[in-house]
Amino acid sequence: MELQNTQFTKTPGWLDWYAAPSKPRFKVPAGSVDAHCHVFGPGAEFPFAPERKYTPCDASKQQLYALRDHLGFARNVVVQATCHGADNRAMVDALTHSGGRARGVATVKRSVGDAELQSMHDAGVRGVRFNFVKRLVDFTPKEELIEIAGRIAKLGWHVVIYFEAVDLPELWDFFTALPTTVVVDHMGRPDVGKPVDGPEFELFVKFMRQHPNVWSKVSCPERLSVKGPPALNGEQNAYRDVIPFARRIVETFPDRVLWGTDWPHPNLKDHMPDDGLLVDFIPHIAVTPELQHKLLVDNPMRLYWPEHS
Ligand SMILES: O=C(O)/C=C(\CC(=O)C(=O)O)C(=O)O
């Protein structure tokens, strides 16, 4: 199915999300949270940001919540995608139409007002995202980010960081100075062609071990995998090369891990995964019911819905 924007032309080669995901064989525990997903526009209602690095297909809140129900999840954490810049209206609109079943992570600039932060908080925003992936965003000075972190800390929010493994040494001092809970997207994007006990991933494990405020999303095997096989055509053993990395983080830090679909999967170049099969990946990385419950229910509830946990 080709999804059309009415006002925007998609980036050439853009892959739309998988139109008819299978029903997962793995039944997620009651109350599970998809803790990393996005909405795109729709562009006609919520225009994409002029400074964006890609133009996606539309991916609406209704489509996101239909996927939530299809996969058996109860709640979502909607993360501001870079194609919307610091204009959080599409994400906030998704939260306000979720019946209390979605919380959000925003992108803000230093110029954001206190009233705007408070109104985002009232809508369900609980964090800000700092993105260091150069193909996705222009550079923001670190003193600006530290200032933002200090302001959002007062609301009880956390900081989500997105970076690639090779950049961790350079960013270490900045990350370890953050005053809040810090949530790393996709395990800091390890190169899974390297050994799971090699120096690069050891540094990430050390980062989490030495800093109890650091959490990790063990999401996006479809982005990290080098050898596949992809989560397509009923494949129940997808992305095998990512499993040792995610399993190590889940088993070493069971109370500080989160999982999300990453729907609608921005910028995938190779293939678009069947989201049902992505859910079937979970028991490969969280191998006991206890680990699964922490990953999918206890941890995200403690971070995003502490009043219910
Ligand atoms: O969806 C993700 O987490 C990963 C992304 C996109 C992204 O972060 C964004 O657009 O905000 C990526 O690696 O291109």
Side-chain angles (χ1 to χ4, degrees):
M1 179 175 60
E2 267 283 288
L3 299 170
Q4 295 299 335
N5 290 319
T6 46
Q7 299 185 339
F8 293 92
T9 304
K10 292 185 282 188
T11 298
W14 183 265
L15 294 181
D16 296 347
W17 38 276
Y18 194 87
S22 58
K23 200 84 182 159
R25 282 199 207 165
F26 173 59
K27 290 226 169 317
V28 299
S32 286
V33 182
D34 175 354
H36 186 93
C37 50
H38 310 284
V39 288
F40 297 150
E45 197 180 352
F46 301 107
F48 302 113
E51 72 274 21
R52 69 190 179 279
K53 305 289 187 204
Y54 62 85
T55 306
C57 60
D58 285 334
S60 72
K61 55 183 183 282
Q62 292 90 347
Q63 289 162 325
L64 174 64
Y65 298 147
L67 180 74
R68 172 198 67 198
D69 295 344
H70 176 76
L71 299 178
F73 283 78
R75 294 179 166 87
N76 298 91
V77 179
V78 187
V79 177
Q80 174 75 354
T82 56
C83 57
H84 281 292
D87 175 352
N88 294 285
R89 280 175 297 171
M91 182 271 293
V92 166
D93 174 73
L95 305 188
T96 51
H97 290 87
S98 71
R101 294 170 69 186
R103 293 256 143 110
V105 174
T107 296
V108 301
K109 296 192 176 140
R110 173 187 248 164
S111 54
V112 68
D114 286 336
E116 195 182 341
L117 287 178
Q118 186 59 52
S119 100
M120 284 198 277
H121 185 87
D122 296 342
V125 173
R126 293 294 180 268
V128 290
R129 191 180 196 209
F130 295 165
N131 199 321
F132 299 90
V133 178
K134 294 172 190 90
R135 70 183 160 79
L136 287 172
V137 283
D138 297 325
F139 174 79
T140 306
K142 302 223 175 53
E143 64 269 19
E144 220 170 286
L145 298 176
I146 282 284
E147 185 184 312
I148 291 167
R151 287 178 63 201
I152 61 98
K154 295 191 189 108
L155 290 161
W157 294 10
H158 60 270
V159 174
V160 173
I161 51 177
Y162 190 28
F163 61 93
E164 294 182 333
V166 287
D167 296 323
L168 179 56
E170 178 207 326
L171 292 164
W172 183 279
D173 289 346
F174 171 72
F175 289 161
T176 56
L178 290 168
T180 59
T181 293
V182 173
V183 181
V184 179
D185 277 341
H186 323 329
M187 300 184 285
R189 291 199 63 121
D191 177 348
V192 301
K194 294 181 180 165
V196 67
D197 55 357
E200 194 178 88
F201 202 58
E202 285 299 340
L203 187 71
F204 182 66
V205 172
K206 178 176 160 190
F207 179 45
M208 289 194 73
R209 187 179 296 123
Q210 290 188 348
H211 301 282
N213 63 321
V214 176
W215 296 39
S216 179
K217 292 178 199 163
V218 289
S219 40
C220 275
E222 69 285 5
R223 240 175 239 295
L224 302 175
S225 183
V226 180
K227 294 204 201 119
L232 284 173
N233 306 316
E235 178 59 65
Q236 284 291 316
N237 287 296
Y239 313 124
R240 280 166 228 164
D241 49 353
V242 182
I243 291 172
F245 291 81
R247 206 176 149 176
R248 181 166 180 205
I249 296 302
V250 168
E251 290 176 4
T252 314
F253 308 105
D255 298 311
R256 291 191 264 146
V257 283
L258 302 170
W259 187 87
T261 54
D262 195 33
W263 188 89
H265 310 285
N267 294 316
L268 288 185
K269 302 279 184 254
D270 179 61
H271 69 283
M272 197 40 83
D274 171 342
D275 294 280
L277 295 173
L278 269 187
V279 173
D280 288 337
F281 181 75
I282 297 172
H284 292 285
I285 63 169
V287 300
T288 67
E290 192 197 356
L291 288 171
Q292 291 159 6
H293 203 268
K294 283 172 184 261
L295 176 68
L296 297 168
V297 184
D298 301 338
N299 299 342
M301 289 305 285
R302 205 162 73 250
L303 192 58
Y304 289 98
W305 282 271
E307 67 279 17
H308 292 318
S309 76

